[in-house]
Amino acid sequence: MSALGALLATRSESGSTGMRSRILLGLVCGGYSVGAAFGWGSPQVAVFMGDFGLAAAALVAAVSCFLYARTGAGRLRPAWLLFSLSSAMAACGNAVWGWYEVILGVPVPTPSLADVFFLCFAPPAIVGLLVLAKRPVTRAGWVCLALDAWLIGGSLLTLAWSLALAHTAHMAGVQEASVAPAALSLAYPLLDIVLVSMVLALHFRRAGVNRSAVNTAIAALALTVLSDAVFTSPLLRSTYHSGQLLDAGWFAGSLLLAYAPWGARRGARRPVRPGPPRAIASRPIAGSLAALTPYLAAAVCTLGILYNVVDGRRVDRVVIFTGCTVVLALVVRQGIMLLDNISLTQELAQKENHFRSLVQGSSDVIMIAAPNGTLRYVSPAAAGVYGREAEDLVGAELSSIIHPDDLGRVVHEVRRFLAAPPHEEPTTRIECRFRSGTGDWLNVESTVNRHQGGLLLNSRDVTERVRLQAQLQHNAEHDPLTDLPNRTLFTARVRQALSGRRSGDPGTAVLFIDLDGFKQVNDTIGHQAGDELLIQAGRRLQESVRAGDTAARLGGDEFAALIMGDGTRDQGAREYQVHEIADRLRLTLSQPYRIGASEVRVAASIGVAFAEPAISPTDLMRNADLAMYRAKAGGKDRVELYAPQMQADVVRRSELATRLRTALRDGEFALLHQPVVHLASGSVAAVAAQARWRSAQGILFTPAEFLRVSGDDDRTAQLGRWLLEEAVAQAAERARAGHPVAVSVRLSAARLLDSATPPGSVEALLTRHGLPSGALMIEVADSDPRVSFDALEQRLVALRRLGVRIALDGFGSGFAAINALRRLPIDVLKLDRNLVEGVVESARLHKITSGLLRIACDLGLQSVADGVDVPEQVLALRAMGCTHGQGMAFSGPLDEYRLRRALVRGEFPVPGIPAPRPVMAGGSIPLLTGSHTETPVPPT
């Protein structure tokens, strides 16, 4: 028995262990029943198993319920403690009974201590059942619970009294002189009746917590009460002795009560699998039995009374009293139920009106469709949403109002939804188009639920939302100005072309288009005119491509076109065809644009790249971009086909730019100086500082080479600051060494206006190195149209106040040169080397250069000719009035050592001058390097 109790208390969570426990329980109970049926083989064993066997089983139930109450009973803990006490009373009663029969070997006296323990079995069990019951929430519920218990108990008492108890009470009173045996003989059946009444009354009111455990416990008590009822019957009471088959009922009831909490606990721990609740089908039956319980009890009571009447007996007063009280309880209960039904009816009517108001006042359309698709109900909101009266839609087929293109998808979704288990997918959402009363199609979103084999649809009009989403999608994929596809959509179209059925077509090509001269349009006639030009250019591009091609605006003045291949395998013919399309686009985009009252012209540079096997959209677009930039570099207004060499050039420039970024940090830059010579005397008037980069490979790069590939404004600005500080430092060092020659530094207008180089920083630089301000000259390079002349004028005036002299570099080449000469504080004009190179050969350039030098002379400015490389140029420039020259005719850029040797010599031979002149006779002119095309010749 102890081993069985330990097994029943096992907390295994596996289903196989639970099944083994139930099988073992059945085998033990079955074995006991077989033993009792065959008398256990001997009277002594039968008496022992009938007394101490029942005591052991009851003790196991007591220990099992007590352990469960201590570990995990929750709020039902008092009930299991009471069941444990009740089982303990049964165990003590059976033990006392065995003491008399087995130990002492005498019949059990009546009454005895065993009767006391057996009588104490029922009260704790009854109270425990009350604890397990689902507590009523109203006072009427408590009254109905009490009435139901009395109806059951009174009817059973009437029937039992009529059948046996009246005779038992009469015989006990006749045979016994004391009332104790009579009371004892009636106490057992009366307590059993009360216990049965509680079991039946509470069976339909049990709490939802640990329902399996509660059901098992109720079954165990019911089996025990049934065995007690059989035992107390007059037919068996007189012939009963321990070890009979009746003991198997008490034995099974005790073990079943012991198993109840642990078996239920194991089931509760088992993971719950989704599925339809098994109790759904039994709930109507359970509810019907609960409602019929009072009437069944009254019927039982009536049977008891009829038994007495039919048998011809005098109706006992107990039967009359209990029958009357049962009828009275039934009447009172029916009155309470009638009032409760009236209240529920009123509440139901209010809720029905409430929900009807919600349905009719809802902006959503609620429809109920039969299993065959016929609409059985449509809410009044259909008139406002669909423009159709609800009465017109009722009886129509649901498929008749759905767009034909959406019908197949909707039917498929509905079939899939209905085939899915309801607990896995209670609802679904369908979006389709419904026909409105005006014949238009509305975008409708419906939430679909199951309803009596059909469908319940809650629908709303989302046409505006769908339109807004489509508009947002269009805006996200199209350029807001030209309404052409933007870069995102164009990239997607290219990806689709490379991955679709034409993925292997080498004729697919991408064109990148840039409008040459568009920036000047913005700067001259305004951004609004520029936007209008872009709109017209986009319209021309859209009209020029074929129907299956894609024209797009990538941003700014950059456009693109995707030309789909036609399956042609002749690559040469396809390239010719696409080149012809691109050239036609170039001519179309280069036609004059009418903007307001003016006519504007721009050109188009186009790069073409063809699709290759396994090429990605990014690489194809990059190739077209490289070809477009090659077209711009080659003179603009042209079409360029992509070649692999272009990518190699980009890689080379990228590597050079990467090395350039580390050159300043690693000290790879060197400063050279080129003498500026007075053309009348040959004396050195100044030196022009020039930066050179000697790479790790020993290659000497000029600014014209490394600045073109740097592409980094920060590095360019850093280089400008290094050049200025290094030139001032070396000039001061030369002055302290006895060579006080001025130095010129070339800076762009953008660098001069950079906030990182304020005028105060130049003054601090001169002071720190001890160089007089007159020994520094700033050459203003390449007048950028984006630079404000007002700001540049203010900066140069501030520098002039410090004593720094200002030179205008590249005079004669920039479109704003005259304006700069008019507004800026200039001391020296430096002729562009392009004028100097052809001054001897070209009579036109000779006249232009002569005129510019005359302007400088009239303004009282000194002049410097950059790029004077041959003696003939020296003679021609000196004859025109040019005062100074710089170039290979005198010297190339020199390092510090060679420069000082040249300064010691003091002058250079000048053609046409027979005799040397005094050193530095021509005056000092601080200058910087020439244009970006300085000679790359290293110092010699």
Side-chain angles (χ1 to χ4, degrees):
M1 291 298 106
S2 61
L4 177 60
L7 179 61
L8 292 176
T10 302
R11 303 180 183 181
S12 174
E13 297 181 6
S14 64
S16 60
T17 303
M19 180 60 68
R20 287 197 299 268
S21 300
R22 289 190 288 270
I23 293 175
L24 181 59
L25 177 64
L27 290 176
V28 172
C29 294
Y32 190 93
S33 301
V34 173
F38 290 98
W40 296 101
S42 68
Q44 293 79 11
V45 176
V47 172
F48 180 86
M49 293 301 296
D51 294 335
F52 290 108
L54 294 181
L59 182 61
V60 169
V63 173
S64 175
C65 293
F66 179 77
L67 292 177
Y68 179 68
R70 290 189 57 187
T71 55
R75 73 174 185 85
L76 300 182
R77 180 183 179 186
W80 294 104
L81 289 175
L82 289 170
F83 291 153
S84 175
L85 177 60
S86 178
S87 298
M89 292 297 101
C92 293
N94 285 296
V96 171
W97 197 287
W99 173 264
Y100 281 109
E101 289 189 338
V102 178
I103 305 299
L104 299 180
V106 298
V108 181
T110 304
S112 66
L113 184 60
D115 294 320
V116 175
F117 286 119
F118 286 142
L119 290 176
C120 292
F121 167 79
I126 293 172
V127 178
L129 288 174
L130 287 174
V131 175
L132 290 179
K134 183 178 181 182
R135 298 179 181 180
V137 296
T138 62
R139 186 176 302 174
W142 284 104
V143 174
C144 288
L145 177 60
L147 292 174
D148 289 342
W150 172 245
L151 285 171
I152 297 173
S155 61
L156 292 177
L157 178 60
T158 301
L159 184 60
W161 188 271
S162 301
L163 294 175
L165 294 183
H167 176 71
T168 301
H170 176 72
M171 293 303 295
V174 171
Q175 296 176 1
E176 301 291 342
S178 175
V179 297
L184 184 62
S185 62
L186 293 177
Y188 282 112
L190 290 178
L191 287 176
D192 288 339
I193 289 174
V194 174
L195 189 56
V196 170
S197 301
M198 295 307 302
V199 169
L200 293 178
L202 299 178
H203 175 67
F204 304 108
R205 291 178 176 268
R206 58 189 183 276
V209 181
N210 289 343
R211 180 168 298 223
S212 178
V214 173
N215 288 339
T216 307
I218 290 176
L221 293 176
L223 183 58
T224 303
V225 170
L226 180 61
S227 300
D228 288 344
V230 176
F231 170 74
T232 56
S233 65
L235 298 177
L236 189 62
R237 179 67 180 272
S238 59
T239 60
Y240 171 79
H241 59 82
S242 298
Q244 287 185 342
L245 186 59
L246 180 61
D247 294 343
W250 287 313
F251 185 83
S254 296
L255 291 188
L256 193 60
L257 183 61
Y259 172 79
W262 304 108
R265 189 174 188 179
R266 178 168 51 250
R269 289 186 178 185
R270 196 172 299 139
V272 180
R273 297 180 180 177
R278 297 181 181 179
I280 291 178
S282 62
R283 284 178 184 173
I285 299 176
S288 300
L289 291 177
L292 292 176
T293 299
Y295 303 100
L296 295 175
V300 172
C301 182
T302 304
L303 289 175
I305 298 174
L306 290 176
Y307 175 79
N308 285 273
V309 174
V310 172
D311 198 30
R313 302 178 185 179
R314 183 175 60 89
V315 179
D316 193 276
R317 285 177 295 178
V318 175
V319 175
I320 294 176
F321 176 77
T322 55
C324 291
T325 53
V326 166
V327 173
L328 180 61
L330 181 60
V331 172
V332 174
R333 191 185 188 283
Q334 287 301 109
I336 295 174
M337 293 301 297
L338 180 60
L339 295 176
D340 194 18
N341 288 337
I342 293 174
S343 177
L344 289 176
T345 302
Q346 294 176 351
E347 184 179 355
L348 181 61
Q350 291 178 356
K351 289 184 178 180
E352 184 178 358
N353 292 333
H354 175 69
F355 285 111
R356 182 181 291 109
S357 300
L358 287 177
V359 170
Q360 294 180 352
S362 175
S363 59
D364 293 350
V365 180
I366 299 175
M367 299 184 295
I368 299 177
N372 60 359
T374 303
L375 294 175
R376 298 188 302 188
Y377 172 79
V378 179
S379 65
V385 177
Y386 301 152
R388 303 175 67 176
E389 295 297 332
E391 293 79 6
D392 298 338
L393 291 174
V394 174
E397 293 288 338
L398 181 61
S399 59
S400 64
I401 63 174
I402 299 178
H403 195 283
D405 295 342
D406 300 339
L407 185 57
R409 176 173 53 85
V410 172
V411 170
H412 174 74
E413 175 63 20
V414 169
R415 288 178 177 174
R416 185 202 61 79
F417 170 66
L418 294 177
H423 62 276
E424 292 183 359
E425 190 172 4
T427 63
T428 187
R429 191 179 300 273
I430 296 176
E431 187 168 332
C432 60
R433 287 168 289 180
F434 278 10
R435 186 189 301 274
S436 68
T438 60
D440 298 329
W441 293 101
L442 304 175
N443 292 92
V444 176
E445 181 185 67
S446 301
T447 302
V448 184
N449 296 271
R450 298 172 180 84
H451 178 75
Q452 298 179 0
L455 298 175
L456 174 64
L457 298 93
N458 191 345
S459 307
R460 62 195 61 87
D461 182 12
V462 293
T463 304
E464 187 63 24
R465 189 193 71 185
V466 172
R467 187 197 62 79
L468 181 59
Q469 288 177 345
Q471 184 63 39
L472 291 176
Q473 182 72 18
H474 180 85
N475 293 342
E477 296 179 342
H478 289 76
D479 174 58
L481 182 63
T482 62
D483 202 38
L484 292 176
N486 58 13
R487 184 181 294 272
T488 302
L489 182 56
F490 183 76
T491 304
R493 296 276 179 86
V494 174
R495 181 178 294 106
Q496 182 180 3
L498 296 180
S499 60
R501 59 185 179 87
R502 295 183 177 179
S503 56
D505 191 350
T508 300
V510 170
L511 280 60
F512 265 43
I513 306 164
D514 187 83
L515 300 182
D516 303 322
F518 174 75
K519 185 179 181 303
Q520 285 73 17
V521 175
N522 273 342
D523 294 339
T524 54
I525 61 178
H527 290 276
Q528 186 173 358
D531 291 345
E532 179 61 28
L533 189 148
L534 292 175
I535 293 174
Q536 295 185 26
R539 188 180 302 118
R540 292 184 185 182
L541 180 61
Q542 181 68 42
E543 294 172 352
S544 300
V545 297
R546 300 172 304 179
D549 300 335
T550 300
R553 182 191 176 207
L554 305 183
D557 59 344
E558 290 188 356
F559 293 84
L562 172 64
I563 308 299
M564 300 298 296
D566 55 4
T568 302
R569 292 299 175 182
D570 188 348
Q571 187 65 17
R574 182 57 179 164
E575 289 184 2
Y576 176 80
Q577 181 183 6
V578 173
H579 192 284
E580 187 179 44
I581 294 174
D583 199 57
R584 185 172 67 251
L585 288 177
R586 180 187 64 81
L587 294 175
T588 301
L589 295 175
S590 301
Q591 294 297 318
Y593 294 86
R594 173 64 61 180
I595 300 178
S598 59
E599 190 176 84
V600 178
R601 288 180 176 271
V602 294
S605 296
I606 301 178
V608 181
F610 287 92
E612 301 173 359
I615 192 172
S616 66
T618 304
D619 292 341
L620 180 59
M621 295 172 65
R622 180 206 61 198
N623 294 344
D625 197 21
L626 291 176
M628 184 265 291
Y629 278 107
R630 176 61 62 90
K632 293 179 72 67
K636 302 180 180 182
D637 192 18
R638 56 183 294 175
V639 176
E640 191 78 29
L641 297 180
Y642 170 77
Q645 182 60 33
M646 298 180 183
Q647 179 63 22
D649 294 342
V650 170
V651 173
R652 183 186 64 82
R653 289 197 300 269
S654 177
E655 293 175 351
L656 185 60
T658 302
R659 295 201 304 269
L660 178 62
R661 294 187 184 98
T662 61
L664 281 171
R665 185 188 68 235
D666 298 340
E668 296 180 6
F669 276 93
L671 190 64
L672 304 181
H673 294 83
Q674 189 172 24
V676 179
V677 179
H678 193 277
L679 295 182
S681 63
S683 61
V684 179
V687 292
Q690 298 180 7
R692 291 292 188 274
W693 173 34
R694 188 180 301 276
S695 68
Q697 291 78 15
I699 303 175
L700 197 66
F701 293 100
T702 66
E705 294 171 314
F706 61 73
L707 290 182
R708 183 175 65 250
V709 301
S710 67
D712 192 338
D713 291 339
D714 294 337
R715 293 291 180 268
T716 305
Q718 186 178 357
L719 177 61
R721 291 191 294 270
W722 174 87
L723 177 63
L724 179 61
E725 183 166 356
E726 192 70 15
V728 171
Q730 292 190 16
E733 184 67 25
R734 285 193 296 272
R736 286 191 290 270
H739 306 289
V741 61
V743 64
S744 64
V745 180
R746 182 179 185 272
L747 296 176
S748 66
R751 295 280 77 81
L752 283 173
L753 296 178
D754 190 355
S755 58
T757 55
S761 63
V762 177
E763 183 180 10
L765 179 64
L766 295 173
T767 303
R768 184 167 67 251
H769 293 284
L771 183 69
S773 58
L776 174 65
M777 182 167 167
I778 300 297
E779 296 183 9
V780 183
D782 53 32
S783 297
D784 192 339
R786 295 174 297 180
V787 174
S788 171
F789 260 101
D790 295 335
L792 182 60
E793 181 180 7
Q794 294 176 6
R795 176 59 59 89
L796 295 180
V797 168
L799 291 174
R800 282 286 300 275
R801 291 197 187 102
L802 297 177
V804 178
R805 303 182 69 183
I806 307 300
L808 182 61
D809 183 45
F811 185 70
S813 62
F815 70 91
I818 300 300
N819 192 27
L821 187 62
R822 178 177 63 87
R823 298 185 56 181
L824 301 181
I826 303 299
D827 298 307
V828 177
L829 287 180
K830 192 168 186 178
L831 294 178
D832 186 78
R833 68 182 300 127
N834 291 325
L835 296 176
V836 176
E837 287 176 353
V839 71
V840 177
E841 295 83 1
S842 173
R844 186 180 183 85
L845 283 181
H846 188 281
K847 293 180 180 180
I848 293 174
T849 304
S850 177
L852 294 177
L853 290 173
R854 192 178 302 111
I855 292 175
C857 182
D858 294 341
L859 294 176
L861 304 177
Q862 293 180 328
S863 56
V864 176
D866 186 18
V868 182
D869 296 331
V870 294
E872 291 81 4
Q873 294 173 346
V874 175
L875 295 175
L877 291 170
R878 187 173 58 192
M880 296 178 191
C882 184
T883 59
H884 297 80
Q886 170 186 344
M888 296 300 296
F890 307 106
S891 172
L894 304 175
D895 59 14
E896 187 64 22
Y897 173 75
R898 291 183 176 85
L899 176 63
R900 292 195 180 190
R901 288 182 56 186
L903 294 178
V904 169
R905 190 170 63 249
E907 63 181 19
F908 290 93
V910 179
I913 300 178
R917 296 185 179 274
V919 177
M920 304 296 287
S924 176
I925 303 178
L927 298 171
L928 181 86
T929 171
S931 68
H932 270 273
T933 55
E934 300 101 334
T935 173
V937 179
T940 57

